[in-house]
Amino acid sequence: MGGRPKVLVVDFGGQYTHLIARRCRELGVYSEIVEPGSLEEALGSGSVRGLILSGGPRSVLEQGSPRVSERILRSPPVPILGICYGHQLIAHMLGGRVVSGLAREYGRVKVRVVERDKLLKDIPSELEVWMSHGDSVAEPPKNMKATSLSENGVITSMSDGEKIYTTQFHPEVSHTQHGKTVLRNFLQEICRIPPTWKPRNMIDEMVENVRRTVGGERVICAVSGGVDSMTTAYILSKAVGSNLYCIFVDTGLLRKGEGKRVEEAARRAGIKNLIKVDARERFLTRLRGVKDPEEKRRIIGEEFIKIFEETAARIPGARWLAQGTIYPDRVESGRAGKGSALIKSHHNVGALPERLGLKLIEPLRDLYKDEVREVAEELGVPEEIIWRHPFPGPGLAVRIIGEVTEEKLRICREASAIVEEEITKSGLQREIWQAFAVVGDDKWVGVTGDARTLGYIVTVRLVESVDGMTADWPRISHHILERISRRITNEVPGVVMVTYAITPKPPATIEPC
Ligand code: XMP
C-alpha cells in the first residue's frame, strides 16, 4: 500500500480492533492493524500519519500486559489516540494514576464534556457512550487534562491538547453517540489526513501492481463461485488477459447451479481460459463409507489439492497462483496460533502454492469483505455472486451428517436451493449470514395417500452473524418457514419432515459437521 497516508491501529487483543480499522476506512482514511511488537518497524514506513492504541482484555496494572515503547509516547512521531486499554496505558506510562475497581462501567453511560479540545469538537456537552472497563484513570499524567467525565465521576477522555488524545469509551461502537465525529475529529482535525481512501479507486492500482509483479508470466486462479475468488479473477483478467488460467473444480459438493454461475461470470469478465474439472465421481468414491466429520474434511482437502496439481501441470509455464485472501484472513491467521482452540479444521488450501512451486499473488489482501464487494460491483461481477452467502470449502459434505451419498447430496442441494430462494424472495438475503438445509440419516414415517413411507428429515439452518465466530438464529415470520417447509416436502422427493434449528453459536457451530 506504498505511500498512501494511513493510520495504524495497535492491536492489544481487544474485540473491537477490526471495527476501529474499518471505521477509519469508512471515514476515508486507509488503516492497518499492527501488533505492539511490530509498531516501531511499521512507523518507519513514512506514510503513517496517526496511531490508535485500541482496547484489550488485560489490565495495564498486570505484569506482562502489552506495552508500546515509552519513547513513542514521550515524543510522539504522529498524533496518538488511546481507546479504553490505550487510554489507561497512556495514563500509566506517562506518570498518571490508574486504579482497579474504582467504578466498573459496562454498556451505556452518560458523559459530560468539561474541557473542549479538538477531539470533542462539535460534540454536545452531554452524550451517551459505550463503556466496558474495570480499571480507570484516577489522575491524568502531568501534561494532560481530563476533557470529559462520566456520571460516576470517571475520567472518560483526556488530552495534552496537541498530540495525545484518549477516550475511556469506545467511539467505534455504534451505541456511542457522535462516536463517528470523535474518530473523524482525530483523523481530520488532529492528524490532518485527507479523506480520500475509497476501495473502488484502488482498482487501477491493484491491476497495475499485478501487471508489474507477474510481468508476462502465466497465472493460475482457482475460482469457486464465491465473491473473493471471482473478484480476484476479474482483477487478474484485467491485468494479464489471456495469461490467466482459471480452474473450477466441480467436486459434486457445490450448491445448485454453481457451475453455470461461474461460467457466466467468467464470460462476462472476458476470461478466455476457464478449465472446468468434473471431479464429482472422484470425491464421491473417496467419501464412500466415511462418517467422521474431520475425516471427511481431510479427504476433501487432500483430493482437491491432488486434482488442482494435476490440472495445473497441464498449464505449461505457469509461475503464479492468485488467491482471494482478504484482510481479516491474514490478520486472523496471524493470531490463530496464540491460543485459539481448534474447533474444526477449516479446509483452506494454504499449502497449495508451495506444493505447486508457484509464487503467490493476493490482490485483495488489504481489503475487508464490504470493500471487496464494492470493488466487485465496480468491476461488474454479477450481483448474485457479490451477495452470495459464505460457503465452506468442503461444501455440502459438512451439511450432510454421516456418510455422503448421492441421495443425501441431492436432498441437501435441492432443499438448500429452496431455502435460499425463499429467503431471497422475502428480502432477507443480505441480513442473514447463511441459509441452508442439512440432512442426516434419521428417518420419519410419512403418509402419502394411503401409503406409509419412511423419509428423510431436513433441518433448516438460518443464522445471523457478523463474522461467523458467534451466531444466532433469526426470529423470522412463521409464514416464511411454512413456505420453506411445504416446498421442501413437496418438491424434494424422499423428504418427509422439515425442522428449524434454533440453537445459537455457541454452543452449536453453524455447520453441523
Ligand atoms: P462453524 O461451523 O465452525 O462455521 O460455526 C463458522 C463459519 O465458517 C464456515 N466454515 C468453513 N469455511 N472451510 C471454510 O472455508 C471450512 O472447512 C469451513 N467450515 C465451516 C461456516 O460456513 C461458517 O460461515
Side-chain angles (χ1 to χ4, degrees):
M1 284 294 144
R4 171 179 297 114
K6 67 183 169 200
V7 61
L8 295 180
V9 182
V10 182
D11 181 11
F12 293 117
Q15 55 177 329
Y16 297 129
T17 311
H18 270 298
L19 189 57
I20 299 171
R22 282 181 45 196
R23 289 278 183 261
C24 293
R25 292 190 186 192
E26 280 165 25
L27 289 163
V29 173
Y30 183 69
S31 62
E32 275 176 10
I33 295 173
V34 289
E35 297 292 316
S38 335
L39 178 58
E40 301 244 6
E41 194 191 328
L43 277 169
S45 82
S47 53
V48 180
R49 305 274 291 272
L51 201 58
I52 300 182
L53 307 185
S54 72
R58 308 277 299 267
S59 161
V60 298
L61 303 171
E62 267 170 48
Q63 269 217 326
S65 53
R67 295 269 183 281
V68 294
S69 119
E70 197 168 318
R71 201 170 45 78
I72 293 176
L73 296 186
R74 295 255 171 229
S75 57
V78 290
I80 300 177
L81 172 64
I83 297 175
C84 197
Y85 181 88
H87 160 82
Q88 294 159 10
L89 186 67
I90 287 169
H92 187 65
M93 290 184 69
L94 293 181
R97 196 159 60 89
V98 176
V99 292
S100 213
L102 175 70
R104 296 179 194 282
E105 294 171 308
Y106 296 97
R108 288 192 174 85
V109 173
K110 280 210 174 82
V111 158
R112 191 166 43 85
V113 175
V114 293
E115 174 91 30
R116 197 169 290 279
D117 60 3
K118 282 189 197 162
L119 191 71
L120 302 180
K121 187 179 165 223
D122 299 330
I123 303 289
S125 304
E126 288 198 2
L127 66 155
E128 227 174 49
V129 299
W130 189 258
M131 300 269 244
S132 173
H133 70 111
D135 293 354
S136 321
V137 174
E139 256 175 58
K142 255 200 217 87
N143 59 338
M144 294 182 79
K145 268 197 207 158
T147 54
S148 69
L149 300 173
S150 80
E151 53 198 335
N152 304 315
V154 167
I155 297 177
T156 42
S157 59
M158 54 182 197
S159 78
D160 66 359
E162 281 180 37
K163 278 211 146 157
I164 305 189
Y165 296 78
T166 70
T167 63
Q168 176 59 71
F169 58 87
H170 289 274
E172 71 278 17
V173 169
S174 60
H175 308 300
T176 291
Q177 294 175 332
H178 309 280
K180 223 170 176 172
T181 311
V182 171
L183 286 176
R184 186 184 298 118
N185 285 342
F186 177 67
L187 298 170
Q188 265 129 61
E189 301 292 323
I190 298 166
C191 302
R192 306 221 150 261
I193 312 177
T196 49
W197 154 263
K198 251 203 173 98
R200 64 179 70 224
N201 297 346
M202 283 191 50
I203 295 175
D204 290 345
E205 190 183 318
M206 288 193 278
V207 169
E208 197 41 52
N209 264 342
V210 170
R211 220 175 258 152
R212 227 187 2 250
T213 314
V214 308
E217 295 180 324
R218 289 186 170 168
V219 186
I220 297 178
C221 180
V223 288
S224 65
V227 64
D228 301 341
S229 67
M230 198 46 86
T231 308
T232 303
Y234 269 58
I235 289 170
L236 262 298
S237 173
K238 251 176 130 60
V240 305
S242 57
N243 270 341
L244 172 67
Y245 289 77
C246 288
I247 300 181
F248 170 68
V249 180
D250 185 354
T251 58
L253 307 168
L254 300 172
R255 289 173 282 195
K256 191 175 174 181
E258 205 75 285
K260 277 216 186 80
R261 255 190 303 275
V262 166
E263 265 175 306
E264 168 57 20
R267 195 191 52 74
R268 262 216 224 178
I271 293 170
K272 306 250 173 353
N273 314 303
L274 173 68
I275 305 173
K276 277 185 74 181
V277 185
D278 181 357
R280 288 177 294 180
E281 201 48 50
R282 267 176 84 161
F283 278 92
L284 209 54
T285 307
R286 286 226 41 204
L287 289 169
R288 199 157 289 145
V290 182
K291 296 191 174 125
D292 179 63
E294 279 301 300
E295 188 58 10
K296 284 197 272 191
R297 280 166 193 273
R298 195 191 59 72
I299 290 173
I300 293 166
E302 198 182 278
E303 196 60 24
F304 186 88
I305 290 182
K306 245 200 241 162
I307 291 172
F308 203 85
E309 265 179 326
E310 291 166 15
T311 314
R314 304 205 315 257
I315 306 167
R319 293 276 172 277
W320 295 88
L321 180 73
Q323 276 188 345
T325 316
I326 67 171
Y327 195 50
D329 298 338
R330 288 202 295 134
V331 178
E332 296 301 323
S333 56
R335 208 194 286 155
K338 299 182 191 159
S340 57
L342 175 78
I343 304 206
K344 291 174 188 176
S345 59
H346 281 193
H347 143 65
N348 290 323
V349 278
L352 256 180
E354 279 159 38
R355 293 269 302 255
L356 297 170
L358 297 173
K359 291 174 278 184
L360 192 59
I361 186 151
E362 298 170 314
L364 307 177
R365 67 200 306 274
D366 293 316
L367 300 185
Y368 283 102
K369 192 82 170 187
D370 49 343
E371 296 174 327
V372 172
R373 290 196 164 123
E374 196 182 317
V375 165
E377 241 163 26
E378 187 72 15
L379 287 167
V381 175
E383 187 93 338
E384 224 190 336
I385 289 183
I386 299 180
W387 292 102
R388 211 81 220 268
H389 287 159
F391 188 64
L396 301 180
V398 297
R399 298 178 175 175
I400 291 173
I401 302 170
E403 187 183 353
V404 177
T405 62
E406 245 167 305
E407 182 169 42
K408 281 156 81 185
L409 258 175
R410 169 186 61 80
I411 290 174
C412 187
R413 182 179 296 116
E414 294 298 324
S416 284
I418 292 174
V419 174
E420 281 196 70
E421 252 173 62
E422 288 302 323
I423 290 301
T424 304
K425 263 197 233 157
S426 316
L428 296 170
Q429 206 267 353
R430 292 192 189 181
E431 279 166 45
I432 285 179
W433 172 260
Q434 280 171 307
F436 55 88
V438 169
V439 66
D441 293 311
D442 287 344
K443 300 272 176 71
W444 198 288
V445 175
V447 276
T448 40
D450 291 333
R452 288 166 71 81
T453 48
L454 260 189
Y456 282 95
I457 303 172
V458 160
T459 300
V460 174
R461 181 71 158 150
L462 308 178
V463 293
E464 288 172 338
S465 177
V466 183
D467 51 13
M469 305 294 276
T470 59
D472 201 0
W473 56 280
R475 277 62 168 173
I476 64 167
S477 147
H478 288 172
H479 300 295
I480 305 171
L481 289 174
E482 199 262 329
R483 260 200 312 278
I484 290 174
S485 160
R486 188 158 26 84
R487 280 196 58 195
I488 292 176
T489 47
N490 283 350
E491 297 172 31
V492 187
V495 182
V496 156
M497 168 60 69
V498 175
T499 64
Y500 185 38
I502 54 165
T503 302
K505 172 181 179 175
T509 51
I510 295 176
E511 310 286 352
C513 326

